[in-house]
Amino acid sequence: QVQLVESGGGLVQAGGSLRLSCAASGSIFSINVMGWYRQAPGKQRELVATFTRGGSTNYADSVKGRFTISRGNAKNTVYLQMNSLKPEDTAVYYCNAFSGYTYWGQGTQVTVSS
């Protein structure tokens, strides 16, 4: 079992920045990929960025060049630095971990005002 706890969401004006954090606990040795997804009202949940055990990253085209995913030194924490935020980035952001099973955090709201 893996537990995920997110923090760092909030309200920001367009062009601003936010940093999300996700701390994993439990069977963290089994995690192969950690990442962030988001879900806007009326839309499906979509991938934002992922970070593999080997250090590879992957980004949605819509956030490339603006968002950066990174991993903490303890490797049980993943961060999402979000710069140049746009109103269309408004969504609930979910931390995700995959170990053969998929785990989700509770989500954190990010609201970008125009």
Side-chain angles (χ1 to χ4, degrees):
Q1 287 281 345
V2 173
Q3 295 78 43
L4 302 171
V5 178
E6 303 117 330
S7 61
L11 172 65
V12 65
Q13 288 188 330
S17 299
L18 282 174
R19 188 192 195 207
L20 305 183
S21 300
C22 174
S25 60
S27 301
I28 60 173
F29 61 90
S30 65
I31 297 173
N32 294 314
V33 183
M34 288 187 73
W36 291 93
Y37 288 69
R38 67 186 181 186
Q39 188 167 18
K43 294 188 177 181
Q44 290 188 329
R45 193 171 297 188
E46 63 177 4
L47 179 146
V48 176
T50 59
F51 198 113
T52 69
R53 180 196 293 265
S56 299
T57 58
N58 181 50
Y59 295 92
D61 288 342
S62 59
V63 306
K64 283 181 180 177
R66 300 188 298 123
F67 291 11
T68 302
I69 190 169
S70 60
R71 187 172 59 191
N73 289 334
K75 300 185 178 180
N76 68 323
T77 303
V78 65
Y79 304 98
L80 185 69
Q81 178 66 43
M82 305 185 293
N83 298 328
S84 302
L85 282 160
K86 304 175 181 180
E88 50 263 44
D89 295 318
T90 295
V92 177
Y93 284 68
Y94 295 92
C95 183
N96 168 277
F98 179 74
S99 64
Y101 296 97
T102 299
Y103 299 93
W104 295 98
Q106 80 282 2
T108 185
Q109 177 70 46
V110 172
T111 302
V112 185
S113 63
S114 57

